[in-house]
Amino acid sequence: MKKAQSHDPYDMLGLDRQLCFPLYAASNLLGRVYRPLLEPLGLTYSQYLVMLILWEEGPIHVGALAQRLHIDSATMTPIVKRMQDQGLLTRNRDRSDQRHVIVRLTSRGQSLKDQAKEIPQALSDQIGDRLGHDVVEGLRTSVRKLVALLSEDLNTPIGVALPTPTPLK
Amino acid sequence: MKKAQSHDPYDMLGLDRQLCFPLYAASNLLGRVYRPLLEPLGLTYSQYLVMLILWEEGPIHVGALAQRLHIDSATMTPIVKRMQDQGLLTRNRDRSDQRHVIVRLTSRGQSLKDQAKEIPQALSDQIGDRLGHDVVEGLRTSVRKLVALLSEDLNTPIGVALPTPTPLK
DNA sequence: ACCTAATAATTCGTGCACGAAGTAAATAAC
DNA sequence: GTTATTTACTTCGTGCACGAATTATTAGGT
């Protein structure tokens, strides 16, 4: 069922044949689209994602936050620190387990939700209208499957077959 | 044809409803998958993308390189500088137009192609086998459409409808 | 020729994103 | 109960990625 495309390994090095590159480009471009929309709220894109979780789920540990966004906890720490400096949230040690740090929205952080609520709809409409809402929907579910695959395979690495590059040729 | 999902703006703030978040996560995760594969070659992921273009198309200006990868030229400059330091390429002013800087592979950069040629096939197979090759193919074309849309709309900004958030409610 | 765009690359400052190493607290081992 | 191990977060160093401001060069207007 798969159409017989070239199996010359060199052909695979074409930028257009890769899946990774469009994803990389799309992610960067989306970040660039979000920037002017989030600037009035004083949020970066990563900070916006943190807010989405806090608005939806309430107080949460730093590690859980990082896990939810599929980023390293070493990346999360400075993000929530800056957000604390902005008065959006508080960071406190868990009294029952001093290793955990609980992140909580301040009232200022809570109230920001009102200003943010129009953003996803506006973007979703704009993209959906031009790309086709069904295309966007399929894209969303496919990418989520890919994310699920990649994040589970970070335990049993996906590239483990590489150490023996071409057994025989 | 579109199924009637909630139009409550607050519902749209759910992390699972967003298209942008899976793309962000997928891009980060893919970068993490590529890292150990590219480390033996001494390349970062962005540097790998630059190499793909140079292998495929030969000498190119810094600006064109940035445009091809949909990143800012201010991001490109330090990348090619580091690659020059590694002896992978040369940077020279264009004699016919001193504003342009031409990037060329060195022989060392050329020869790296041999070591890289197995990488995309290995990943493509691993992901395709688990996600379905047809799913991956559909994903690839959809994301490319999205990229095309986003990059053209950066001239006529996509978020232009936002300055009037809710005309009336 | 001269003065003004426009263009190409770079520099600057901020914020992610990562792996590796470090610190401190809770748990296990014995 | 003291020592080892695990867990949660932080610190550190490198490399992107961006917008804004600079510099250098070319192209246009008169």
Side-chain angles (χ1 to χ4, degrees):
Chain A
M1 211 40 100
K2 58 178 112 170
K3 52 184 164 186
Q5 32 188 14
S6 166
H7 283 80
D8 176 3
Y10 285 107
D11 277 6
M12 296 297 288
L13 289 176
L15 201 59
D16 290 337
R17 288 201 174 279
Q18 310 259 341
L19 170 63
C20 59
F21 166 61
L23 284 169
Y24 160 87
S27 182
N28 285 341
L29 287 168
L30 267 179
R32 233 175 293 177
V33 168
Y34 268 92
R35 190 180 299 265
L37 303 180
L38 294 175
E39 199 181 27
L41 311 190
L43 293 176
T44 66
Y45 181 65
S46 311
Q47 291 171 5
Y48 171 65
L49 294 178
V50 170
M51 294 302 279
L52 288 185
I53 294 179
L54 289 169
W55 285 330
E56 200 175 8
E57 303 178 16
I60 187 175
H61 295 161
V62 169
L65 212 41
Q67 204 167 4
R68 203 83 169 61
L69 295 182
H70 301 288
I71 61 176
D72 201 291
S73 66
T75 305
M76 199 73 260
T77 294
I79 292 178
V80 291
K81 264 191 186 169
R82 276 184 287 265
M83 293 174 78
Q84 183 184 33
D85 293 344
Q86 296 215 290
L88 296 174
L89 49 81
T90 61
R91 289 160 61 240
N92 293 109
R93 293 271 162 194
D94 190 334
R95 304 178 77 82
S96 70
D97 186 341
Q98 296 279 125
R99 290 172 302 181
H100 290 92
V101 170
I102 306 181
V103 174
R104 281 180 228 272
L105 283 178
T106 61
S107 56
R108 177 162 140 52
Q110 252 317 329
S111 69
L112 216 59
K113 189 175 182 179
D114 271 334
Q115 300 179 50
K117 68 174 188 295
E118 312 293 348
I119 293 179
Q121 188 70 59
L123 274 177
S124 169
D125 286 352
Q126 296 253 354
I127 293 177
D129 286 348
R130 306 194 201 186
L131 211 62
H133 289 84
D134 50 343
V135 174
V136 172
E137 190 59 27
L139 184 53
R140 198 166 64 95
T141 58
S142 295
V143 180
R144 286 177 60 183
K145 279 183 199 161
L146 177 62
V147 169
L149 172 64
L150 290 176
S151 53
E152 83 183 25
D153 270 337
L154 285 188
N155 307 330
T156 61
I158 197 172
V160 80
L162 253 215
T164 54
T166 34
L168 43 88
K169 178 187 180 182
Chain B
M1 207 45 98
K2 58 180 108 169
K3 53 185 164 187
Q5 30 188 15
S6 166
H7 283 82
D8 176 3
Y10 286 107
D11 278 6
M12 297 296 288
L13 288 175
L15 202 59
D16 291 337
R17 287 202 175 279
Q18 309 261 341
L19 170 63
C20 59
F21 166 61
L23 285 170
Y24 161 86
S27 182
N28 285 341
L29 288 168
L30 267 179
R32 235 177 291 177
V33 169
Y34 268 94
R35 190 180 298 266
L37 304 180
L38 294 175
E39 200 181 24
L41 311 190
L43 293 175
T44 66
Y45 182 64
S46 310
Q47 291 171 5
Y48 171 65
L49 294 178
V50 170
M51 293 302 279
L52 288 184
I53 294 178
L54 289 169
W55 285 329
E56 201 176 7
E57 302 178 16
I60 187 175
H61 294 162
V62 169
L65 212 41
Q67 204 167 4
R68 204 85 168 59
L69 295 183
H70 300 288
I71 61 176
D72 201 292
S73 67
T75 305
M76 199 73 261
T77 294
I79 293 178
V80 292
K81 263 190 187 170
R82 276 184 287 266
M83 294 174 78
Q84 181 184 33
D85 292 344
Q86 296 215 291
L88 295 174
L89 50 78
T90 60
R91 289 161 60 239
N92 294 108
R93 291 273 161 192
D94 189 334
R95 306 179 77 81
S96 70
D97 186 340
Q98 296 279 124
R99 289 173 302 180
H100 290 92
V101 169
I102 306 182
V103 174
R104 283 178 228 272
L105 284 178
T106 61
S107 55
R108 179 161 140 51
Q110 251 319 327
S111 68
L112 216 60
K113 189 175 182 179
D114 272 334
Q115 300 179 52
K117 69 175 188 292
E118 312 292 347
I119 293 178
Q121 187 70 60
L123 275 177
S124 168
D125 286 353
Q126 298 253 354
I127 294 177
D129 286 348
R130 306 193 201 186
L131 211 62
H133 288 85
D134 50 342
V135 173
V136 172
E137 189 60 26
L139 185 52
R140 199 167 63 94
T141 57
S142 296
V143 180
R144 286 177 61 183
K145 279 184 199 159
L146 177 62
V147 169
L149 173 63
L150 291 176
S151 53
E152 81 183 28
D153 270 337
L154 286 188
N155 306 331
T156 62
I158 197 171
V160 81
L162 254 213
T164 55
T166 33
L168 43 88
K169 179 188 178 181

